[in-house]
């Protein structure tokens, strides 16, 4: 009996030592569910350096693109909940994509540990510079007079660009045709070329084209005006509050992570986000640093799930 007790105590001590050693045991793997160079990769790289310095451990970015980010999220559900595998989460795979399939690949609210929100930002509605509409309200009026001949572009079925276009249809009573592309870049090019009339996407995608004079901003979907576009009204200012939507980015891990490890990662993330250089990088990309604690971040994502899943159900949107 004494040997059994002693063995149990040794195991408990070893477990405590492992917990106390985090994150010294090995580098932290940060999964990104999209190719290098996009908005999610940008967010991951922006927080990578300051978090490495604060945690005194290397953070290695591991790209697992595909299926609107669901491949990466699914992989995270299979990872050990030891704090050494994390994911840069965003709206698509955590509030939209799971509801596009008859059987959800994972439950975004039950199969992950929410660590902290990193940023959020409204989307921008754009059209060609020579379009007669000066804002989104005028565009809606213009489209209503051309029923059946107006379309909107997206970066693919089930993306936030697709859902925002469907939201315009639902709220305004329009019936614009959805034209899906394999990514935002070709969608933008066809919009510039006149093959489509409207697109609603993130600032990181659209701001360079707007500032370069190739696209015209009609509205922003956030709660307040974009500092990069101070003269562009919000949808609420235009009398279209139902079109408000916000994209988010944050840090998550597998379900069941130890609370002390979650607290340590969250503290490092929060300290990283208050650094002026980090705030400036996000602002330049059209996003806003928006820290939220694990509890508040999870509540925010839950509300987003309810909003987008309802729209998907009512508009009968399905993945290809």
């Amino acid at each position: 009996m004494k040997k059994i007790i002693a063995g149990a105590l040794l195991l408990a001590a070893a477990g405590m030592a492992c917990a106390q050693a985090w994150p010294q045991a090995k580098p932290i793997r940060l999964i990104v569910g999209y190719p290098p160079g996009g908005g999610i990769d940008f967010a991951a790289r922006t927080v990578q350096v300051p978090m490495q310095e604060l945690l005194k451990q290397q953070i290695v970015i591991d790209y697992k693109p595909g299926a609107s980010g669901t491949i990466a999220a699914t992989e995270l559900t299979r990872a050990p909940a030891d704090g050494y595998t994390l994911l840069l989460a965003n709206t698509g795979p955590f509030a939209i994509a799971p509801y596009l399939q008859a059987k959800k690949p994972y439950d975004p609210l039950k199969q992950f540990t929410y660590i902290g929100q990193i940023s959020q930002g409204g989307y921008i509605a754009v059209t060609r510079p020579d379009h007669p509409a000066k804002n989104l309200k005028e565009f809606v009026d213009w489209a209503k007079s051309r029923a059946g001949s107006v379309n909107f572009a997206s970066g693919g079925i089930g993306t936030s660009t697709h859902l925002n276009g469907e939201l315009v249809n639902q709220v305004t009573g329009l019936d614009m045709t959805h034209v899906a592309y394999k990514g935002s870049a070709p969608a933008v090019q066809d919009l510039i070329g006149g093959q489509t009339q409207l697109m609603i996407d993130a600032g990181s995608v659209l701001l360079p084209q707007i500032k370069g004079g190739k696209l015209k901003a009609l509205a922003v979907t956030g709660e307040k005006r974009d500092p990069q576009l101070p003269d562009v009204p919000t949808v609420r200012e235009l009398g279209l509050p139902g079109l408000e939507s916000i994209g988010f980015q944050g840090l998550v891990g597998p379900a069941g992570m130890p609370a002390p490890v979650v607290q340590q990662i969250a503290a490092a993330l929060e300290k990283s986000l208050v650094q002026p250089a980090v705030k400036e990088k996000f602002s330049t990309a059209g996003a806003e640093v928006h820290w939220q604690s694990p509890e508040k971040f999870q509540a925010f994502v839950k509300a987003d799930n309810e909003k987008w899943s309802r729209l998907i159900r009512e508009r009968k949107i399905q993945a290809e």
Side-chain angles (χ1 to χ4, degrees):
M1 179 62 73
K2 289 182 178 179
K3 289 183 178 180
I4 293 174
I5 295 173
L9 289 172
L10 284 171
L11 286 172
M16 290 176 64
C18 287
Q20 290 171 352
W22 189 92
Q24 279 70 48
K26 59 183 178 181
I28 298 165
R29 176 185 174 217
L30 177 57
I31 302 173
V32 171
Y34 299 85
I40 308 305
D41 178 39
F42 164 80
R45 291 193 174 279
T46 301
V47 300
Q48 177 190 23
V49 174
M51 286 192 69
Q52 284 182 151
E53 294 173 351
L54 289 163
L55 294 172
K56 296 180 171 56
Q57 179 56 277
Q58 184 182 12
I59 297 175
V60 180
I61 296 178
D62 185 10
Y63 298 99
K64 297 289 181 181
S68 300
T70 59
I71 289 175
T74 300
E75 180 164 332
L76 185 68
T77 64
R78 303 182 184 124
D82 56 7
Y84 287 101
T85 305
L86 307 174
L87 177 93
L88 205 299
N90 67 300
T91 305
F94 278 80
I96 295 173
Y99 302 99
L100 296 170
Q101 304 177 37
K103 183 178 180 182
K104 288 190 294 185
Y106 48 81
D107 189 322
L109 301 177
K110 294 180 179 178
Q111 289 184 263
F112 302 94
T113 297
Y114 284 79
I115 296 169
Q117 187 173 336
I118 293 173
S119 69
Q120 68 179 39
Y123 302 95
I124 307 170
V126 295
T127 191
R128 283 168 51 91
D130 59 357
H131 195 284
K134 296 178 182 178
N135 56 53
L136 189 57
K137 180 66 170 62
E138 290 187 6
F139 181 93
V140 170
D141 294 338
W142 172 85
K144 284 182 177 178
S145 68
R146 291 161 178 80
S149 62
V150 180
N151 55 42
F152 72 93
S154 85
I157 293 176
T159 60
S160 58
T161 51
H162 177 196
L163 271 292
N164 273 300
E166 293 290 356
L167 188 62
V168 173
N169 276 339
Q170 184 183 58
V171 171
T172 65
L174 289 176
D175 192 23
M176 294 184 294
T177 301
H178 173 221
V179 182
Y181 292 82
K182 293 182 178 179
S184 290
V188 168
Q189 290 308 309
D190 266 13
L191 178 62
I192 292 172
Q195 283 74 38
T196 58
Q197 286 84 49
L198 180 73
M199 186 173 178
I200 303 175
D201 209 334
S204 57
V205 174
L206 299 175
L207 278 172
Q209 307 295 342
I210 296 168
K211 293 189 174 183
K214 294 182 178 180
L215 289 174
K216 174 168 61 176
L218 298 172
V220 293
T221 68
E223 297 175 350
K224 55 186 179 182
R225 294 194 179 196
D226 189 325
Q228 301 292 320
L229 302 169
D231 296 328
V232 178
T234 66
V235 288
R236 182 172 289 275
E237 288 175 314
L238 293 172
L240 300 167
L243 298 183
E244 284 188 345
S245 65
I246 295 172
F248 69 82
Q249 297 170 339
L251 209 55
V252 302
M257 284 177 58
V261 173
V262 174
Q263 291 166 5
Q264 200 170 339
I265 301 172
L269 179 60
E270 183 179 12
K271 289 178 181 177
S272 298
L273 295 177
V274 299
Q275 296 182 15
V278 171
K279 286 186 173 183
E280 178 62 24
K281 284 184 178 180
F282 276 105
S283 177
T284 301
E288 176 189 4
V289 167
H290 193 88
W291 161 255
Q292 288 205 96
S293 67
E295 297 78 16
K296 290 184 178 180
F297 180 33
Q298 185 169 11
F300 177 88
V301 175
K302 181 180 179 182
D304 231 29
N305 272 251
E306 292 170 353
K307 171 182 178 175
W308 293 121
S309 64
R310 182 172 59 252
L311 179 69
I312 289 166
R313 185 172 61 253
E314 292 175 353
R315 300 291 297 179
K316 296 180 173 58
I317 304 168
Q318 294 182 333
E320 291 181 321

